[in-house]
Amino acid sequence: MSNEISDLILRRFPKYIYVLRSLQRKGQEFTSASELSRFLDIHHTQIRKDLALTGVRGVPKRGHRVDSLLNACIEFLDWDNLADACLVGVGNMGNALLNYEGFAKAGLQIVVAFDNDPEKIDKRINNIKVYPIEKMKDVIDILEVKIAILTTPAKNSQKLANEMIEAGIKGIWNFTPKKLNVPENVIVEDMDIYPALAALLGKVRNLSILK
Amino acid sequence: MSNEISDLILRRFPKYIYVLRSLQRKGQEFTSASELSRFLDIHHTQIRKDLALTGVRGVPKRGHRVDSLLNACIEFLDWDNLADACLVGVGNMGNALLNYEGFAKAGLQIVVAFDNDPEKIDKRINNIKVYPIEKMKDVIDILEVKIAILTTPAKNSQKLANEMIEAGIKGIWNFTPKKLNVPENVIVEDMDIYPALAALLGKVRNLSILK
């Protein structure tokens, strides 16, 4: 992958992969930027530009082979090389993510989890062992894990973020609503599902009141 | 709730509730807009304006009671009245959401699921029964469900969206990357976790290459 792949490009490729997998399951042999565009909210010229980054060339008059384009997109995102991740905070959200089987198809492998609840420590969830939070720094350091998924209560999140960064974490997927302060060489991706849910429910209720 | 609550206001309240619940667990009695602001990426004047919408008044020199402010925020979002939802597509994501225990605390109750796989039909997942997709319209109609969570492959999503809207669905939480075309009186909230994951992993890899 080039050093200069922008955030927006990175965010579009999973959409191409999703649609291509869907076409592949249907047994379709060829596709085109125009066809992909009909499934997505992305203009076909943008798709054509993005796909060119993978180096794959189309077949004249037939477009792209679905199989080879799919493989090129997966390679572009380096999704074949699973990144090891730890999960910190085995509550409702943590549990759901530990049990989620879709990450391996998107380049992520959760290898270890941490919590401070004695009931949870030393248990295995979907084969992933839960360690006491006091061991987090040592385990991250020894396993050389670079990605952390943060699913703790808000009050602990900054302190834990500081500790995991000290231990070598370079990317935090933050499922808490807390804004994290991190050094420049650490990436934070915020992912809070409740604002979306509140907006959906609130707007549907507004609609119902209005009519 | 007023008819005119904006999207952005709706999206901020879950963050207040999350922090207030966290303070409540800690046993803290009073809080203020300034304190909440320190946990969130929201300016305290904005928080003060939002909280005023709940009608709750602070105690001079002590701020807001955590308990009553929390209750007022929950009431503001109407989270005590669980909205019934159906889930369509019991794959990896569908399964994770059916097993997720955090929705009830955020106003949502999944009451029924649909799939076209005979292996899944008539099974119960976390006590939620899976019905054949052919029954979707009738079940939505009879149960008067207004919210649908869409977790199917991309190729089916528009057709299914059309059918559920015909049956009475007013809000779709769309976990597919497909852009849905819906009438004006239907709300769609897009929620695709893979773009965020791809951006995080890609940027961490860029960083590592750069140094």
Side-chain angles (χ1 to χ4, degrees):
Chain A
M1 194 195 294
S2 142
N3 293 346
E4 300 288 344
I5 304 303
S6 82
D7 185 77
L8 289 172
I9 295 173
L10 288 167
R11 285 176 203 273
R12 284 194 296 266
F13 267 83
K15 296 173 190 272
Y16 304 148
I17 292 172
Y18 187 99
V19 173
L20 288 166
R21 278 180 176 149
S22 184
L23 296 176
Q24 191 185 46
R25 270 195 301 270
K26 254 172 52 186
Q28 190 173 318
E29 234 186 312
F30 286 91
T31 188
S32 64
S34 312
E35 186 182 47
L36 295 181
S37 172
R38 283 199 297 276
F39 287 102
L40 301 165
D41 197 21
I42 309 170
H43 196 270
H44 63 85
T45 55
Q46 182 68 68
I47 296 181
R48 207 161 282 126
K49 251 175 84 178
D50 288 346
L51 296 182
L53 294 170
T54 67
V56 150
R57 313 263 303 264
V59 179
K61 293 192 183 158
R62 306 195 63 180
H64 287 282
R65 286 202 156 272
V66 170
D67 290 358
S68 40
L69 189 57
L70 175 56
N71 288 338
C73 289
I74 289 172
E75 204 176 304
F76 180 79
L77 286 180
D78 211 6
W79 273 5
D80 277 334
N81 293 313
L82 296 184
D84 286 347
C86 64
L87 182 139
V88 184
V90 187
N92 286 330
M93 178 63 76
N95 241 296
L97 295 178
L98 288 174
N99 280 300
Y100 182 52
E101 303 286 350
F103 288 138
K105 279 193 299 183
L108 193 80
Q109 175 98 54
I110 304 176
V111 292
V112 63
F114 303 99
D115 203 279
N116 59 5
D117 180 349
E119 298 274 307
K120 291 170 185 164
I121 289 163
D122 287 337
K123 296 269 157 53
R124 279 179 186 275
I125 298 170
N126 193 16
N127 276 322
I128 300 156
K129 192 162 169 188
V130 182
Y131 286 90
I133 199 85
E134 299 81 43
K135 292 203 177 166
M136 183 182 77
K137 282 177 72 170
D138 288 345
V139 174
I140 286 173
D141 184 39
I142 292 164
L143 298 182
E144 296 185 15
V145 175
K146 299 296 174 214
I147 307 287
I149 303 173
L150 189 59
T151 45
T152 59
K155 60 166 177 163
N156 303 322
S157 55
Q158 183 63 56
K159 182 172 159 283
L160 288 169
N162 297 345
E163 288 179 18
M164 59 180 68
I165 291 164
E166 230 178 278
I169 290 294
K170 293 294 177 199
I172 301 176
W173 204 5
N174 178 28
F175 279 77
T176 81
K178 179 131 180 21
K179 170 79 181 163
L180 298 176
N181 297 311
V182 302
E184 256 183 47
N185 64 342
V186 173
I187 310 291
V188 175
E189 185 70 32
D190 289 311
M191 190 97 230
D192 184 7
I193 67 169
Y194 293 114
L197 180 55
L200 178 67
L201 295 184
K203 284 187 277 184
V204 168
R205 286 193 172 114
N206 285 349
L207 268 183
S208 319
I209 292 165
L210 289 171
K211 48 191 56 204
Chain B
M1 193 197 293
S2 139
N3 294 346
E4 300 288 345
I5 304 304
S6 83
D7 184 77
L8 289 172
I9 295 174
L10 288 167
R11 285 175 203 274
R12 284 193 295 266
F13 267 83
K15 296 173 190 272
Y16 303 148
I17 292 173
Y18 186 99
V19 174
L20 288 165
R21 278 181 176 149
S22 183
L23 296 176
Q24 191 185 44
R25 269 194 301 270
K26 253 171 54 184
Q28 190 173 317
E29 233 186 313
F30 286 90
T31 188
S32 64
S34 313
E35 186 183 47
L36 295 181
S37 171
R38 282 200 297 278
F39 287 103
L40 300 165
D41 196 22
I42 308 170
H43 196 271
H44 63 86
T45 55
Q46 181 67 69
I47 297 181
R48 208 162 281 125
K49 252 175 84 179
D50 287 346
L51 296 183
L53 294 171
T54 67
V56 150
R57 312 262 305 262
V59 180
K61 291 192 185 157
R62 304 196 65 180
H64 287 282
R65 284 202 159 271
V66 170
D67 291 357
S68 40
L69 189 56
L70 176 55
N71 288 338
C73 289
I74 289 172
E75 204 178 305
F76 181 79
L77 286 181
D78 209 7
W79 273 5
D80 278 334
N81 293 314
L82 296 185
D84 287 347
C86 64
L87 182 139
V88 184
V90 187
N92 287 329
M93 179 62 76
N95 241 297
L97 295 178
L98 288 174
N99 281 299
Y100 183 50
E101 304 286 349
F103 288 138
K105 280 192 301 184
L108 192 80
Q109 175 98 53
I110 304 175
V111 293
V112 61
F114 302 99
D115 203 279
N116 60 6
D117 180 349
E119 297 274 306
K120 291 170 185 165
I121 290 164
D122 287 337
K123 296 271 157 52
R124 279 179 184 276
I125 297 170
N126 194 17
N127 277 322
I128 300 156
K129 193 163 169 189
V130 182
Y131 287 90
I133 200 84
E134 298 81 44
K135 293 204 176 163
M136 182 182 78
K137 282 178 74 172
D138 287 344
V139 174
I140 286 173
D141 184 39
I142 291 163
L143 297 182
E144 294 185 16
V145 174
K146 299 295 175 216
I147 306 288
I149 304 173
L150 189 58
T151 46
T152 60
K155 60 167 175 164
N156 303 322
S157 54
Q158 183 64 56
K159 183 173 158 280
L160 289 169
N162 297 345
E163 288 179 18
M164 58 179 68
I165 290 164
E166 231 178 279
I169 289 295
K170 293 293 177 201
I172 300 176
W173 204 5
N174 177 27
F175 280 77
T176 82
K178 180 130 183 14
K179 170 78 181 162
L180 298 175
N181 297 312
V182 301
E184 256 184 46
N185 65 341
V186 173
I187 309 291
V188 175
E189 185 69 33
D190 289 311
M191 190 96 228
D192 184 5
I193 66 168
Y194 293 115
L197 179 56
L200 178 68
L201 295 183
K203 284 187 277 185
V204 168
R205 287 194 171 115
N206 286 349
L207 269 182
S208 317
I209 292 165
L210 289 170
K211 46 190 57 203

